[in-house]
Amino acid sequence: MFEYKNVTDIPTVTLINTVNEIFKDYIVPVRWDINSFEKDSKEFSISLEDSFIVYENQKPIGVSIISCRKDLGRIDSFGVKEEYRGKGIASEMLYKTIEILKWKGVKKIVLEVASMEERAIKFYEKHGFKIKRILESFHTDVPDNIPPKNTYTIEDPNWLKESSFLAKTNLKRITNWQRHPQTLYLSDQRYKIEKIKSWDYVDGYVVWGINDDNTYIVDAAPIVDVSKYDELILDIKNKLSFYKNKIIVVAVPEDDPLNKALKNNNFQVFLQQKEMQMKFH
């Protein structure tokens, strides 16, 4: 007998351990700890009161973590433990998830699936989701320390939100959830936020971070002139080369000008995902 529990009614550590176990064998594994879970919850607008865990005999076996922003919903993490796959519980969970989002007034649901996860893609297609576009993750090596030409100054989330909205409009960017101005704003200085200036002119911005293995770009864009994208990415690449010799950029939509700028600067694709969506009329 399956039992559904709201994630706000269980210990956070139980939720984190369940998610990590379910996704440990995925192409894109999840490795949450308390700190990263709390930051992700805020940054990606995870709706804990609408997310749930499925139990069988008091044992957690599945999870559905969802996000909401007005009439747009996102399935952040969804799955069941390996021994329960193919038994129909995932379909029951997805129906419940969709109904929750409908009840909240959502008009469109989005999610991402690794392109190699053919079984998962067919599962979502069977339940009414359609592939919208490809998201590509990139890496590049930067062995040479070449000084950047531009000036980089620290900014705050409010400045970033305004600037990224301008860039989205001026550059006609169709941003995915991870790069939406609201997401960048809600990251709340989780990353380094920097204004990029040449002389006294503001060229754009970069949001980036660093870990043990590499630096990573969360988002970067000129604010006004899309033709400056290639030049901007090259300068950012040179700047970050002083920290690590490898740079990662994940889940960039194929129709985002950032994607083209990365490829023009010798970034190589190492993973593709399919962004899928379901619309309600």
Side-chain angles (χ1 to χ4, degrees):
M1 184 71 179
F2 298 119
E3 180 183 6
Y4 290 82
K5 291 186 180 182
N6 189 284
V7 299
T8 58
D9 295 330
I10 63 170
T12 301
V13 67
T14 300
L15 170 63
I16 291 171
N17 289 340
T18 302
V19 171
N20 288 349
E21 182 177 352
I22 288 172
F23 291 96
K24 66 183 179 182
D25 62 337
Y26 278 51
I27 294 169
V28 183
V30 177
R31 298 187 182 94
W32 265 341
D33 56 28
I34 294 291
N35 183 52
S36 61
F37 167 71
E38 290 178 348
K39 289 181 176 179
D40 280 359
S41 294
K42 181 177 182 180
E43 182 176 347
F44 299 120
S45 302
I46 289 175
S47 180
L48 297 177
E49 64 272 18
D50 297 305
S51 301
F52 60 85
I53 283 186
V54 181
Y55 283 78
E56 184 185 52
N57 299 323
Q58 300 184 341
K59 174 185 176 183
I61 63 168
V63 65
S64 177
I65 307 294
I66 62 177
S67 300
C68 291
R69 287 182 184 157
K70 296 183 179 180
D71 61 352
L72 179 61
R74 176 174 179 258
I75 297 178
D76 183 276
S77 302
F78 181 94
V80 297
K81 291 183 178 180
E82 186 175 8
E83 61 268 31
Y84 290 89
R85 293 170 192 167
K87 296 184 178 182
I89 181 61
S91 291
E92 183 179 317
M93 288 170 55
L94 187 57
Y95 290 137
K96 182 176 178 65
T97 300
I98 293 170
E99 286 305 307
I100 289 171
L101 289 167
K102 279 184 176 181
W103 181 82
K104 291 183 71 68
V106 163
K107 303 299 182 185
K108 182 170 71 174
I109 306 173
V110 296
L111 57 86
E112 304 88 31
V113 185
S115 295
M116 291 177 284
E117 298 278 6
E118 295 182 1
R119 181 175 177 177
I121 292 169
K122 290 179 180 178
F123 169 78
Y124 287 115
E125 287 180 328
K126 174 185 174 182
H127 291 85
F129 285 83
K130 295 181 180 180
I131 296 170
K132 178 183 178 183
R133 57 184 174 177
I134 302 298
L135 309 178
E136 295 181 314
S137 294
F138 297 87
H139 69 90
T140 190
D141 294 321
V142 282
D144 298 319
N145 299 136
I146 303 173
K149 296 179 180 179
N150 296 323
T151 301
Y152 293 76
T153 56
I154 300 295
E155 276 294 348
D156 61 34
N158 289 305
W159 179 88
L160 176 62
K161 184 178 181 180
E162 180 180 351
S163 298
S164 57
F165 264 118
L166 285 172
K168 186 176 185 295
T169 301
N170 294 333
L171 279 55
K172 296 180 173 58
R173 298 183 73 187
I174 306 173
T175 52
N176 56 329
W177 194 277
Q178 292 88 334
R179 283 180 184 79
H180 191 278
Q182 183 71 1
T183 303
L184 300 178
Y185 171 72
L186 291 172
S187 67
D188 193 22
Q189 299 182 326
R190 182 180 187 179
Y191 315 110
K192 300 180 188 298
I193 301 169
E194 294 187 317
K195 176 194 296 179
I196 305 172
K197 295 179 68 175
S198 57
W199 301 102
D200 291 328
Y201 180 76
V202 178
D203 277 339
Y205 65 86
V206 59
V207 184
W208 66 283
I210 187 168
N211 57 34
D212 292 339
D213 301 317
N214 49 258
T215 55
Y216 55 90
I217 298 171
V218 179
D219 193 31
I223 295 174
V224 176
D225 188 355
V226 70
S227 69
K228 291 190 174 183
Y229 231 133
D230 289 1
E231 180 182 340
L232 194 78
I233 293 299
L234 175 59
D235 200 66
I236 293 169
K237 185 177 177 181
N238 290 337
K239 170 188 167 63
L240 298 187
S241 70
F242 283 83
Y243 297 91
K244 296 284 184 178
N245 62 6
K246 188 173 184 179
I247 304 172
I248 301 291
V249 195
V250 301
V252 184
E254 60 185 339
D255 55 356
D256 188 337
L258 172 59
N259 188 298
K260 183 178 179 181
L262 291 168
K263 289 176 178 175
N264 288 344
N265 278 282
N266 299 315
F267 281 76
Q268 304 298 314
V269 176
F270 70 87
L271 175 70
Q272 286 190 333
Q273 295 167 280
K274 295 188 189 299
E275 185 181 65
M276 305 184 72
Q277 68 178 23
M278 174 187 286
K279 291 184 177 181
F280 306 121
H281 300 293

